[in-house]
Amino acid sequence: MKFLIISLLALSFSSVSLATTKEDVQQKTTEAASAAADYTKEQKEQFQKDMENKLADLKKEISEMKAKASEKSGEAKKEMKAQIAVLEKKQDEMKKDLSKLKKSSGKAWSEMKSGMSKAWDSLSESYEKAKAEFKESK
């Protein structure tokens, strides 16, 4: 982020003639800061949209797992339901984090993005593990 702002400032100053006024510099600085803020906002919105789509897809897949689990019996059914419960808990935590992310800004958004990416990786790994075990229990 700092690099982007510095680069924008450098570009705006590179075209400045010797007759640049204090007001010109302030305007260019304001424009550069505004452009950087807009870019960051766009990144945040795209990340949110991507996470919402991933969670929606996972919800469908978990529903399919539930349907398959209902066809099982005994220990296999019990194990599948336990794994589904873990997946749903992690999914709920991700939804809460996404809600917090929507309210965050600046540095907090950047930190939350990192945390959510790690949480998504963990959730995806858990899902793939459960999916593989369901195939084995056929």
Side-chain angles (χ1 to χ4, degrees):
M1 179 65 158
K2 288 180 183 178
F3 176 74
L4 177 63
I5 292 171
I6 291 170
S7 297
L8 290 172
L9 286 173
L11 286 174
S12 66
F13 290 132
S14 66
S15 63
V16 176
S17 68
L18 295 176
T20 302
T21 65
K22 178 181 174 183
E23 290 78 22
D24 291 339
V25 172
Q26 287 176 334
Q27 181 183 4
K28 295 283 187 187
T29 302
T30 301
E31 289 171 1
S34 178
D38 288 346
Y39 177 73
T40 300
K41 182 179 177 187
E42 289 173 13
Q43 282 185 312
K44 178 183 172 190
E45 289 171 354
Q46 185 61 49
F47 182 78
Q48 286 172 205
K49 184 178 177 183
D50 290 345
M51 290 307 297
E52 288 169 348
N53 290 338
K54 287 179 180 181
L55 286 170
D57 290 344
L58 183 63
K59 183 177 181 177
K60 290 176 190 174
E61 292 178 30
I62 290 173
S63 291
E64 291 172 10
M65 282 185 174
K66 282 182 175 181
K68 290 178 184 176
S70 69
E71 298 170 0
K72 302 289 181 185
S73 62
E75 193 63 31
K77 184 174 189 171
K78 185 178 177 181
E79 286 181 30
M80 289 175 81
K81 283 189 172 191
Q83 288 184 352
I84 289 170
V86 169
L87 288 172
E88 288 178 324
K89 182 179 179 189
K90 286 184 176 186
Q91 184 182 27
D92 287 342
E93 291 170 4
M94 287 283 301
K95 286 179 185 177
K96 288 176 187 173
D97 288 346
L98 184 58
S99 179
K100 290 177 188 175
L101 178 93
K102 289 178 181 180
K103 297 174 186 174
S104 69
S105 62
K107 187 176 180 182
W109 128 250
S110 180
E111 290 172 5
M112 288 200 70
K113 177 185 176 188
S114 175
M116 284 197 69
S117 293
K118 289 177 185 176
W120 175 256
D121 291 344
S122 174
L123 180 56
S124 292
E125 186 177 305
S126 295
Y127 170 74
E128 290 301 324
K129 180 180 175 186
K131 187 175 166 183
E133 287 181 21
F134 288 166
K135 284 183 180 180
E136 290 176 12
S137 67
K138 284 188 175 181

